[in-house]
Amino acid sequence: MSTDWLIVPVAYLGVVAGAVSGVMEARRKKMDVVGACVIGLITALGGGTVRDVLLGRMPVFWVLEPSYAWWAFLVALVTFYSTGLLVLTSRSILVPDALGLGVFSIVGASYGIQMQDSLLIAALMGVITGVFGGILRDVLCAQIPVVFARSTQLYATCSFVGAWVYLILLRWNVMASVATLIGIFVVVVMRLMAVRLNWRLPDPED
Amino acid sequence: MSTDWLIVPVAYLGVVAGAVSGVMEARRKKMDVVGACVIGLITALGGGTVRDVLLGRMPVFWVLEPSYAWWAFLVALVTFYSTGLLVLTSRSILVPDALGLGVFSIVGASYGIQMQDSLLIAALMGVITGVFGGILRDVLCAQIPVVFARSTQLYATCSFVGAWVYLILLRWNVMASVATLIGIFVVVVMRLMAVRLNWRLPDPED
Amino acid sequence: MSTDWLIVPVAYLGVVAGAVSGVMEARRKKMDVVGACVIGLITALGGGTVRDVLLGRMPVFWVLEPSYAWWAFLVALVTFYSTGLLVLTSRSILVPDALGLGVFSIVGASYGIQMQDSLLIAALMGVITGVFGGILRDVLCAQIPVVFARSTQLYATCSFVGAWVYLILLRWNVMASVATLIGIFVVVVMRLMAVRLNWRLPDPED
């Protein structure tokens, strides 16, 4: 049983969330529409791009499947010019962003495990796919990635944990479609709870 | 009819402009000669490198054709040590930079359209080839890319428009050499006019 | 005669030094454990990763050989949580870091010369393997790479010089194993002397 009927639309939702978050940050940095579109595209597509390059899956996914780039581009354009009308806050993209994080993480981990039979490498591919778009966004905005800050609620951690759950279920011979759905579910629920309950990582200085 | 007799020398001019602009920025940031050479090389070769990686054309072009790296390296070295003698301003590299932007954009778009029959992807490859060297320069100098700032006159936009002109001419079955020359011409003229007439992008907050 | 018995353990030492230096910088920037582990991994494995991508050796080395990623990950984790107990200074990782620089530079140059018969390209691959981990660390920490600063003692220069020595010895038909050991020795000794004697690069403004 393929889970593509579920995964593909949610992946597009993740691309939308990435493009919107990129444009929001670009506006905060006083960029013009070109800057905003570039940051939007990179935030939306950057994680999967880095994963594809590391694994040698080239040309990268959005060159093979241009509709991802079209979506990100049009969403970035519309978001940039509608900021007066539409008040966008990080709160308003929380749910699409969490869903995108879930799908990107599990898809990334599945590509990783196809290439190399190491759970750590596959989990890292999941995390890279899930969070590197946002890291590249922050690097291009000349700021320390938000995802690394102590004040940030669990984000990469959700991706990492969900990827391990998915990979261990696969190793236990659970059906791939079931493992995929559970993995995504773990990431999304953990992320939403982390925001709601303000979960952070333990710090040795505390 | 090949246009290589024209494109190859202009591409080298673009590499020179990139190396000079990298070294100028590196000096402003108080870097030593190693820093300046690395930034010079990355500014000159970075756009084509990112394009090659995304398209899976590896090893990247300057590994296959080391003379590009030699040029960039020697120009960076000479520029660094001649700054006392030679007063370099962004003004003095405006024309070589615009010519480089034109050639890089159209060459990038032509590689893109060979790989994937999507005009958006090919145009993005043109823009990436044209502007990513400067973006990487600014990221390594820990500042927001100049090309994204509202105060910057049209730059990536010229690359994007010229690439679309070139791609649409190709689709209309115009000879590749003619389409190439027109595409480059559009980028260069548009960029020089943008600087002369201080063209910027419309901003929703204006 | 293979030199792997020497090179492989020293490469792991270099990975350890990279992971530690990444975590130290991450802590200075008030990152949480996830940020520290990501920065640690990227500092340790980033140089070789960029080299592999530029040369088209994909999947990159640590996907093929996951033990490098495991080492970097565990060292980063332990370093992060032991900072209270263990006082880490850049001084304490000077020797492992210099050894890592030596091995990474010569291994990188040897991969470069296998791909392309150009000494400049091979030497650049050596430098990239040796120093790009630290450059990526600083980019992710939103600061100008330390290695580019005028106040820094010779670092990339040691990598560049050692790579040229190795490549010229190879061209003179010196046995590969001997050339490798001499190349590494040159990098390590030059780096340690540069720190001890405070060697810097000549600057045109001095």
Side-chain angles (χ1 to χ4, degrees), chain A residues 171-203:
Chain A
R171 191 129 303 182
W172 289 348
N173 294 312
V174 171
M175 264 201 323
S177 57
V178 173
T180 301
L181 296 180
I182 295 178
I184 295 172
F185 183 80
V186 168
V187 178
V188 175
V189 169
M190 193 172 163
R191 170 65 183 152
L192 294 177
M193 288 183 69
V195 172
R196 169 76 43 120
L197 304 172
N198 202 20
W199 285 348
R200 293 169 203 193
L201 285 165
D203 187 74

PDB file of all heavy atoms in Angstrom, chain A residues 171-203:
ATOM      1  N   ARG A 171      12.954  -1.747  10.769  1.00  0.00           N
ATOM      2  CA  ARG A 171      13.850  -2.847  11.140  1.00  0.00           C
ATOM      3  C   ARG A 171      13.070  -3.996  11.783  1.00  0.00           C
ATOM      4  O   ARG A 171      13.448  -5.154  11.650  1.00  0.00           O
ATOM      5  CB  ARG A 171      14.928  -2.303  12.091  1.00  0.00           C
ATOM      6  CG  ARG A 171      16.028  -3.284  12.325  1.00  0.00           C
ATOM      7  CD  ARG A 171      17.436  -2.775  12.129  1.00  0.00           C
ATOM      8  NE  ARG A 171      17.777  -2.205  10.851  1.00  0.00           N
ATOM      9  CZ  ARG A 171      19.012  -1.751  10.543  1.00  0.00           C
ATOM     10  NH1 ARG A 171      19.976  -1.820  11.446  1.00  0.00           N
ATOM     11  NH2 ARG A 171      19.269  -1.240   9.360  1.00  0.00           N
ATOM     12  N   TRP A 172      11.973  -3.674  12.482  1.00  0.00           N
ATOM     13  CA  TRP A 172      11.106  -4.699  13.074  1.00  0.00           C
ATOM     14  C   TRP A 172      10.137  -5.285  12.039  1.00  0.00           C
ATOM     15  O   TRP A 172       9.181  -5.958  12.409  1.00  0.00           O
ATOM     16  CB  TRP A 172      10.296  -4.108  14.227  1.00  0.00           C
ATOM     17  CG  TRP A 172      11.098  -3.801  15.462  1.00  0.00           C
ATOM     18  CD1 TRP A 172      12.378  -4.195  15.734  1.00  0.00           C
ATOM     19  CD2 TRP A 172      10.671  -3.042  16.593  1.00  0.00           C
ATOM     20  NE1 TRP A 172      12.785  -3.722  16.955  1.00  0.00           N
ATOM     21  CE2 TRP A 172      11.755  -3.011  17.520  1.00  0.00           C
ATOM     22  CE3 TRP A 172       9.483  -2.386  16.951  1.00  0.00           C
ATOM     23  CZ2 TRP A 172      11.679  -2.346  18.739  1.00  0.00           C
ATOM     24  CZ3 TRP A 172       9.411  -1.731  18.151  1.00  0.00           C
ATOM     25  CH2 TRP A 172      10.498  -1.710  19.042  1.00  0.00           C
ATOM     26  N   ASN A 173      10.365  -4.955  10.769  1.00  0.00           N
ATOM     27  CA  ASN A 173       9.527  -5.464   9.689  1.00  0.00           C
ATOM     28  C   ASN A 173       8.077  -4.994   9.728  1.00  0.00           C
ATOM     29  O   ASN A 173       7.184  -5.654   9.206  1.00  0.00           O
ATOM     30  CB  ASN A 173       9.575  -6.995   9.650  1.00  0.00           C
ATOM     31  CG  ASN A 173      10.965  -7.462   9.271  1.00  0.00           C
ATOM     32  OD1 ASN A 173      11.535  -6.962   8.305  1.00  0.00           O
ATOM     33  ND2 ASN A 173      11.508  -8.395  10.040  1.00  0.00           N
ATOM     34  N   VAL A 174       7.845  -3.865  10.351  1.00  0.00           N
ATOM     35  CA  VAL A 174       6.539  -3.228  10.217  1.00  0.00           C
ATOM     36  C   VAL A 174       6.397  -2.766   8.767  1.00  0.00           C
ATOM     37  O   VAL A 174       7.380  -2.391   8.118  1.00  0.00           O
ATOM     38  CB  VAL A 174       6.443  -2.031  11.193  1.00  0.00           C
ATOM     39  CG1 VAL A 174       5.191  -1.205  10.945  1.00  0.00           C
ATOM     40  CG2 VAL A 174       6.501  -2.528  12.628  1.00  0.00           C
ATOM     41  N   MET A 175       5.190  -2.822   8.213  1.00  0.00           N
ATOM     42  CA  MET A 175       4.961  -2.379   6.824  1.00  0.00           C
ATOM     43  C   MET A 175       5.436  -0.937   6.643  1.00  0.00           C
ATOM     44  O   MET A 175       5.158  -0.077   7.483  1.00  0.00           O
ATOM     45  CB  MET A 175       3.466  -2.425   6.500  1.00  0.00           C
ATOM     46  CG  MET A 175       3.032  -3.709   5.796  1.00  0.00           C
ATOM     47  SD  MET A 175       1.475  -3.477   4.896  1.00  0.00           S
ATOM     48  CE  MET A 175       0.558  -2.401   5.935  1.00  0.00           C
ATOM     49  N   ALA A 176       6.083  -0.652   5.507  1.00  0.00           N
ATOM     50  CA  ALA A 176       6.653   0.674   5.276  1.00  0.00           C
ATOM     51  C   ALA A 176       5.592   1.769   5.393  1.00  0.00           C
ATOM     52  O   ALA A 176       5.844   2.836   5.970  1.00  0.00           O
ATOM     53  CB  ALA A 176       7.308   0.728   3.898  1.00  0.00           C
ATOM     54  N   SER A 177       4.392   1.499   4.881  1.00  0.00           N
ATOM     55  CA  SER A 177       3.375   2.555   4.904  1.00  0.00           C
ATOM     56  C   SER A 177       2.958   2.875   6.340  1.00  0.00           C
ATOM     57  O   SER A 177       2.757   4.035   6.703  1.00  0.00           O
ATOM     58  CB  SER A 177       2.163   2.146   4.068  1.00  0.00           C
ATOM     59  OG  SER A 177       1.648   0.927   4.554  1.00  0.00           O
ATOM     60  N   VAL A 178       2.861   1.845   7.164  1.00  0.00           N
ATOM     61  CA  VAL A 178       2.486   2.055   8.560  1.00  0.00           C
ATOM     62  C   VAL A 178       3.598   2.799   9.306  1.00  0.00           C
ATOM     63  O   VAL A 178       3.354   3.774  10.037  1.00  0.00           O
ATOM     64  CB  VAL A 178       2.181   0.696   9.254  1.00  0.00           C
ATOM     65  CG1 VAL A 178       1.958   0.887  10.745  1.00  0.00           C
ATOM     66  CG2 VAL A 178       0.985   0.027   8.589  1.00  0.00           C
ATOM     67  N   ALA A 179       4.850   2.353   9.077  1.00  0.00           N
ATOM     68  CA  ALA A 179       5.990   3.014   9.732  1.00  0.00           C
ATOM     69  C   ALA A 179       6.050   4.484   9.337  1.00  0.00           C
ATOM     70  O   ALA A 179       6.320   5.357  10.168  1.00  0.00           O
ATOM     71  CB  ALA A 179       7.288   2.303   9.353  1.00  0.00           C
ATOM     72  N   THR A 180       5.778   4.763   8.062  1.00  0.00           N
ATOM     73  CA  THR A 180       5.802   6.144   7.570  1.00  0.00           C
ATOM     74  C   THR A 180       4.780   6.996   8.309  1.00  0.00           C
ATOM     75  O   THR A 180       5.094   8.096   8.799  1.00  0.00           O
ATOM     76  CB  THR A 180       5.493   6.170   6.058  1.00  0.00           C
ATOM     77  OG1 THR A 180       6.482   5.380   5.394  1.00  0.00           O
ATOM     78  CG2 THR A 180       5.506   7.580   5.514  1.00  0.00           C
ATOM     79  N   LEU A 181       3.540   6.479   8.391  1.00  0.00           N
ATOM     80  CA  LEU A 181       2.487   7.265   9.029  1.00  0.00           C
ATOM     81  C   LEU A 181       2.781   7.484  10.511  1.00  0.00           C
ATOM     82  O   LEU A 181       2.602   8.592  11.029  1.00  0.00           O
ATOM     83  CB  LEU A 181       1.129   6.581   8.848  1.00  0.00           C
ATOM     84  CG  LEU A 181       0.670   6.479   7.389  1.00  0.00           C
ATOM     85  CD1 LEU A 181      -0.684   5.792   7.305  1.00  0.00           C
ATOM     86  CD2 LEU A 181       0.608   7.858   6.740  1.00  0.00           C
ATOM     87  N   ILE A 182       3.279   6.451  11.178  1.00  0.00           N
ATOM     88  CA  ILE A 182       3.596   6.603  12.603  1.00  0.00           C
ATOM     89  C   ILE A 182       4.744   7.594  12.793  1.00  0.00           C
ATOM     90  O   ILE A 182       4.697   8.467  13.670  1.00  0.00           O
ATOM     91  CB  ILE A 182       3.939   5.233  13.243  1.00  0.00           C
ATOM     92  CG1 ILE A 182       2.694   4.334  13.226  1.00  0.00           C
ATOM     93  CG2 ILE A 182       4.452   5.415  14.680  1.00  0.00           C
ATOM     94  CD1 ILE A 182       2.931   2.942  13.792  1.00  0.00           C
ATOM     95  N   GLY A 183       5.771   7.484  11.940  1.00  0.00           N
ATOM     96  CA  GLY A 183       6.913   8.402  12.044  1.00  0.00           C
ATOM     97  C   GLY A 183       6.477   9.849  11.889  1.00  0.00           C
ATOM     98  O   GLY A 183       6.841  10.723  12.690  1.00  0.00           O
ATOM     99  N   ILE A 184       5.675  10.121  10.859  1.00  0.00           N
ATOM    100  CA  ILE A 184       5.195  11.494  10.645  1.00  0.00           C
ATOM    101  C   ILE A 184       4.372  11.957  11.839  1.00  0.00           C
ATOM    102  O   ILE A 184       4.535  13.073  12.346  1.00  0.00           O
ATOM    103  CB  ILE A 184       4.348  11.574   9.341  1.00  0.00           C
ATOM    104  CG1 ILE A 184       5.231  11.274   8.124  1.00  0.00           C
ATOM    105  CG2 ILE A 184       3.670  12.924   9.209  1.00  0.00           C
ATOM    106  CD1 ILE A 184       4.468  11.146   6.826  1.00  0.00           C
ATOM    107  N   PHE A 185       3.497  11.063  12.309  1.00  0.00           N
ATOM    108  CA  PHE A 185       2.641  11.385  13.450  1.00  0.00           C
ATOM    109  C   PHE A 185       3.476  11.775  14.671  1.00  0.00           C
ATOM    110  O   PHE A 185       3.196  12.779  15.340  1.00  0.00           O
ATOM    111  CB  PHE A 185       1.752  10.162  13.753  1.00  0.00           C
ATOM    112  CG  PHE A 185       0.782  10.381  14.859  1.00  0.00           C
ATOM    113  CD1 PHE A 185      -0.409  11.078  14.639  1.00  0.00           C
ATOM    114  CD2 PHE A 185       1.039   9.887  16.141  1.00  0.00           C
ATOM    115  CE1 PHE A 185      -1.313  11.277  15.668  1.00  0.00           C
ATOM    116  CE2 PHE A 185       0.135  10.100  17.179  1.00  0.00           C
ATOM    117  CZ  PHE A 185      -1.031  10.790  16.934  1.00  0.00           C
ATOM    118  N   VAL A 186       4.538  11.004  14.949  1.00  0.00           N
ATOM    119  CA  VAL A 186       5.402  11.296  16.100  1.00  0.00           C
ATOM    120  C   VAL A 186       6.032  12.681  15.970  1.00  0.00           C
ATOM    121  O   VAL A 186       6.020  13.487  16.910  1.00  0.00           O
ATOM    122  CB  VAL A 186       6.499  10.210  16.251  1.00  0.00           C
ATOM    123  CG1 VAL A 186       7.573  10.648  17.254  1.00  0.00           C
ATOM    124  CG2 VAL A 186       5.882   8.885  16.673  1.00  0.00           C
ATOM    125  N   VAL A 187       6.580  12.987  14.779  1.00  0.00           N
ATOM    126  CA  VAL A 187       7.214  14.298  14.596  1.00  0.00           C
ATOM    127  C   VAL A 187       6.208  15.425  14.823  1.00  0.00           C
ATOM    128  O   VAL A 187       6.481  16.381  15.572  1.00  0.00           O
ATOM    129  CB  VAL A 187       7.829  14.435  13.170  1.00  0.00           C
ATOM    130  CG1 VAL A 187       8.437  15.815  12.989  1.00  0.00           C
ATOM    131  CG2 VAL A 187       8.850  13.350  12.898  1.00  0.00           C
ATOM    132  N   VAL A 188       5.049  15.315  14.182  1.00  0.00           N
ATOM    133  CA  VAL A 188       4.071  16.407  14.220  1.00  0.00           C
ATOM    134  C   VAL A 188       3.549  16.620  15.642  1.00  0.00           C
ATOM    135  O   VAL A 188       3.531  17.751  16.152  1.00  0.00           O
ATOM    136  CB  VAL A 188       2.904  16.135  13.242  1.00  0.00           C
ATOM    137  CG1 VAL A 188       1.833  17.202  13.372  1.00  0.00           C
ATOM    138  CG2 VAL A 188       3.425  16.048  11.809  1.00  0.00           C
ATOM    139  N   VAL A 189       3.148  15.542  16.297  1.00  0.00           N
ATOM    140  CA  VAL A 189       2.585  15.661  17.644  1.00  0.00           C
ATOM    141  C   VAL A 189       3.635  16.189  18.620  1.00  0.00           C
ATOM    142  O   VAL A 189       3.365  17.090  19.427  1.00  0.00           O
ATOM    143  CB  VAL A 189       2.019  14.306  18.120  1.00  0.00           C
ATOM    144  CG1 VAL A 189       1.671  14.355  19.606  1.00  0.00           C
ATOM    145  CG2 VAL A 189       0.799  13.942  17.291  1.00  0.00           C
ATOM    146  N   MET A 190       4.859  15.651  18.490  1.00  0.00           N
ATOM    147  CA  MET A 190       5.925  16.083  19.394  1.00  0.00           C
ATOM    148  C   MET A 190       6.220  17.567  19.197  1.00  0.00           C
ATOM    149  O   MET A 190       6.398  18.317  20.173  1.00  0.00           O
ATOM    150  CB  MET A 190       7.180  15.245  19.125  1.00  0.00           C
ATOM    151  CG  MET A 190       8.249  15.377  20.179  1.00  0.00           C
ATOM    152  SD  MET A 190       9.575  14.163  19.847  1.00  0.00           S
ATOM    153  CE  MET A 190      10.865  14.882  20.882  1.00  0.00           C
ATOM    154  N   ARG A 191       6.232  18.009  17.940  1.00  0.00           N
ATOM    155  CA  ARG A 191       6.517  19.423  17.671  1.00  0.00           C
ATOM    156  C   ARG A 191       5.406  20.322  18.223  1.00  0.00           C
ATOM    157  O   ARG A 191       5.665  21.339  18.857  1.00  0.00           O
ATOM    158  CB  ARG A 191       6.688  19.629  16.163  1.00  0.00           C
ATOM    159  CG  ARG A 191       6.749  21.071  15.713  1.00  0.00           C
ATOM    160  CD  ARG A 191       7.972  21.799  16.240  1.00  0.00           C
ATOM    161  NE  ARG A 191       7.967  23.207  15.850  1.00  0.00           N
ATOM    162  CZ  ARG A 191       8.532  24.181  16.527  1.00  0.00           C
ATOM    163  NH1 ARG A 191       9.188  23.933  17.633  1.00  0.00           N
ATOM    164  NH2 ARG A 191       8.464  25.423  16.119  1.00  0.00           N
ATOM    165  N   LEU A 192       4.146  19.939  17.988  1.00  0.00           N
ATOM    166  CA  LEU A 192       3.044  20.788  18.454  1.00  0.00           C
ATOM    167  C   LEU A 192       3.009  20.825  19.982  1.00  0.00           C
ATOM    168  O   LEU A 192       2.766  21.878  20.585  1.00  0.00           O
ATOM    169  CB  LEU A 192       1.713  20.296  17.880  1.00  0.00           C
ATOM    170  CG  LEU A 192       1.591  20.433  16.353  1.00  0.00           C
ATOM    171  CD1 LEU A 192       0.268  19.851  15.869  1.00  0.00           C
ATOM    172  CD2 LEU A 192       1.723  21.890  15.903  1.00  0.00           C
ATOM    173  N   MET A 193       3.288  19.671  20.628  1.00  0.00           N
ATOM    174  CA  MET A 193       3.324  19.664  22.083  1.00  0.00           C
ATOM    175  C   MET A 193       4.496  20.488  22.608  1.00  0.00           C
ATOM    176  O   MET A 193       4.369  21.170  23.639  1.00  0.00           O
ATOM    177  CB  MET A 193       3.416  18.233  22.609  1.00  0.00           C
ATOM    178  CG  MET A 193       2.100  17.493  22.425  1.00  0.00           C
ATOM    179  SD  MET A 193       2.156  15.825  23.117  1.00  0.00           S
ATOM    180  CE  MET A 193       2.239  16.203  24.876  1.00  0.00           C
ATOM    181  N   ALA A 194       5.632  20.428  21.912  1.00  0.00           N
ATOM    182  CA  ALA A 194       6.810  21.188  22.357  1.00  0.00           C
ATOM    183  C   ALA A 194       6.502  22.681  22.366  1.00  0.00           C
ATOM    184  O   ALA A 194       6.889  23.406  23.291  1.00  0.00           O
ATOM    185  CB  ALA A 194       8.002  20.901  21.441  1.00  0.00           C
ATOM    186  N   VAL A 195       5.772  23.143  21.346  1.00  0.00           N
ATOM    187  CA  VAL A 195       5.431  24.569  21.293  1.00  0.00           C
ATOM    188  C   VAL A 195       4.415  24.903  22.381  1.00  0.00           C
ATOM    189  O   VAL A 195       4.578  25.860  23.141  1.00  0.00           O
ATOM    190  CB  VAL A 195       4.892  24.955  19.904  1.00  0.00           C
ATOM    191  CG1 VAL A 195       4.353  26.378  19.929  1.00  0.00           C
ATOM    192  CG2 VAL A 195       5.986  24.807  18.858  1.00  0.00           C
ATOM    193  N   ARG A 196       3.380  24.066  22.466  1.00  0.00           N
ATOM    194  CA  ARG A 196       2.326  24.307  23.460  1.00  0.00           C
ATOM    195  C   ARG A 196       2.874  24.295  24.881  1.00  0.00           C
ATOM    196  O   ARG A 196       2.543  25.152  25.705  1.00  0.00           O
ATOM    197  CB  ARG A 196       1.235  23.221  23.263  1.00  0.00           C
ATOM    198  CG  ARG A 196       0.164  23.099  24.325  1.00  0.00           C
ATOM    199  CD  ARG A 196      -0.901  24.200  24.273  1.00  0.00           C
ATOM    200  NE  ARG A 196      -1.372  24.533  22.957  1.00  0.00           N
ATOM    201  CZ  ARG A 196      -2.637  24.428  22.532  1.00  0.00           C
ATOM    202  NH1 ARG A 196      -3.566  23.969  23.341  1.00  0.00           N
ATOM    203  NH2 ARG A 196      -2.972  24.805  21.313  1.00  0.00           N
ATOM    204  N   LEU A 197       3.739  23.309  25.180  1.00  0.00           N
ATOM    205  CA  LEU A 197       4.206  23.137  26.555  1.00  0.00           C
ATOM    206  C   LEU A 197       5.594  23.723  26.788  1.00  0.00           C
ATOM    207  O   LEU A 197       6.190  23.535  27.837  1.00  0.00           O
ATOM    208  CB  LEU A 197       4.205  21.643  26.921  1.00  0.00           C
ATOM    209  CG  LEU A 197       2.851  20.946  26.752  1.00  0.00           C
ATOM    210  CD1 LEU A 197       2.985  19.446  26.951  1.00  0.00           C
ATOM    211  CD2 LEU A 197       1.825  21.526  27.730  1.00  0.00           C
ATOM    212  N   ASN A 198       6.099  24.418  25.740  1.00  0.00           N
ATOM    213  CA  ASN A 198       7.394  25.096  25.861  1.00  0.00           C
ATOM    214  C   ASN A 198       8.537  24.154  26.261  1.00  0.00           C
ATOM    215  O   ASN A 198       9.341  24.456  27.129  1.00  0.00           O
ATOM    216  CB  ASN A 198       7.270  26.253  26.874  1.00  0.00           C
ATOM    217  CG  ASN A 198       8.358  27.290  26.640  1.00  0.00           C
ATOM    218  OD1 ASN A 198       8.936  27.354  25.548  1.00  0.00           O
ATOM    219  ND2 ASN A 198       8.654  28.093  27.642  1.00  0.00           N
ATOM    220  N   TRP A 199       8.594  23.004  25.567  1.00  0.00           N
ATOM    221  CA  TRP A 199       9.662  22.043  25.817  1.00  0.00           C
ATOM    222  C   TRP A 199      10.980  22.528  25.228  1.00  0.00           C
ATOM    223  O   TRP A 199      11.056  22.892  24.060  1.00  0.00           O
ATOM    224  CB  TRP A 199       9.346  20.702  25.150  1.00  0.00           C
ATOM    225  CG  TRP A 199       8.314  19.902  25.842  1.00  0.00           C
ATOM    226  CD1 TRP A 199       7.797  20.108  27.090  1.00  0.00           C
ATOM    227  CD2 TRP A 199       7.638  18.755  25.306  1.00  0.00           C
ATOM    228  NE1 TRP A 199       6.848  19.150  27.372  1.00  0.00           N
ATOM    229  CE2 TRP A 199       6.735  18.312  26.295  1.00  0.00           C
ATOM    230  CE3 TRP A 199       7.704  18.047  24.121  1.00  0.00           C
ATOM    231  CZ2 TRP A 199       5.909  17.204  26.114  1.00  0.00           C
ATOM    232  CZ3 TRP A 199       6.894  16.945  23.925  1.00  0.00           C
ATOM    233  CH2 TRP A 199       5.998  16.528  24.915  1.00  0.00           C
ATOM    234  N   ARG A 200      12.019  22.487  26.026  1.00  0.00           N
ATOM    235  CA  ARG A 200      13.355  22.776  25.529  1.00  0.00           C
ATOM    236  C   ARG A 200      14.315  21.670  25.927  1.00  0.00           C
ATOM    237  O   ARG A 200      13.963  20.783  26.710  1.00  0.00           O
ATOM    238  CB  ARG A 200      13.858  24.107  26.097  1.00  0.00           C
ATOM    239  CG  ARG A 200      13.037  25.244  25.539  1.00  0.00           C
ATOM    240  CD  ARG A 200      13.293  26.526  26.243  1.00  0.00           C
ATOM    241  NE  ARG A 200      12.136  27.396  26.051  1.00  0.00           N
ATOM    242  CZ  ARG A 200      12.141  28.687  26.333  1.00  0.00           C
ATOM    243  NH1 ARG A 200      13.237  29.254  26.806  1.00  0.00           N
ATOM    244  NH2 ARG A 200      11.066  29.418  26.137  1.00  0.00           N
ATOM    245  N   LEU A 201      15.540  21.754  25.438  1.00  0.00           N
ATOM    246  CA  LEU A 201      16.512  20.725  25.764  1.00  0.00           C
ATOM    247  C   LEU A 201      17.200  21.066  27.077  1.00  0.00           C
ATOM    248  O   LEU A 201      17.430  22.234  27.377  1.00  0.00           O
ATOM    249  CB  LEU A 201      17.539  20.619  24.649  1.00  0.00           C
ATOM    250  CG  LEU A 201      16.993  19.907  23.416  1.00  0.00           C
ATOM    251  CD1 LEU A 201      17.898  20.142  22.244  1.00  0.00           C
ATOM    252  CD2 LEU A 201      16.850  18.419  23.689  1.00  0.00           C
ATOM    253  N   PRO A 202      17.555  20.025  27.838  1.00  0.00           N
ATOM    254  CA  PRO A 202      18.286  20.269  29.084  1.00  0.00           C
ATOM    255  C   PRO A 202      19.626  20.911  28.759  1.00  0.00           C
ATOM    256  O   PRO A 202      20.279  20.564  27.778  1.00  0.00           O
ATOM    257  CB  PRO A 202      18.490  18.870  29.663  1.00  0.00           C
ATOM    258  CG  PRO A 202      18.340  17.936  28.507  1.00  0.00           C
ATOM    259  CD  PRO A 202      17.392  18.609  27.548  1.00  0.00           C
ATOM    260  N   ASP A 203      20.035  21.844  29.570  1.00  0.00           N
ATOM    261  CA  ASP A 203      21.294  22.532  29.331  1.00  0.00           C
ATOM    262  C   ASP A 203      22.209  22.328  30.534  1.00  0.00           C
ATOM    263  O   ASP A 203      21.767  22.457  31.683  1.00  0.00           O
ATOM    264  CB  ASP A 203      21.031  24.026  29.128  1.00  0.00           C
ATOM    265  CG  ASP A 203      22.289  24.728  28.701  1.00  0.00           C
ATOM    266  OD1 ASP A 203      22.669  24.559  27.537  1.00  0.00           O
ATOM    267  OD2 ASP A 203      22.892  25.407  29.541  1.00  0.00           O
TER     268      ASP A 203
END
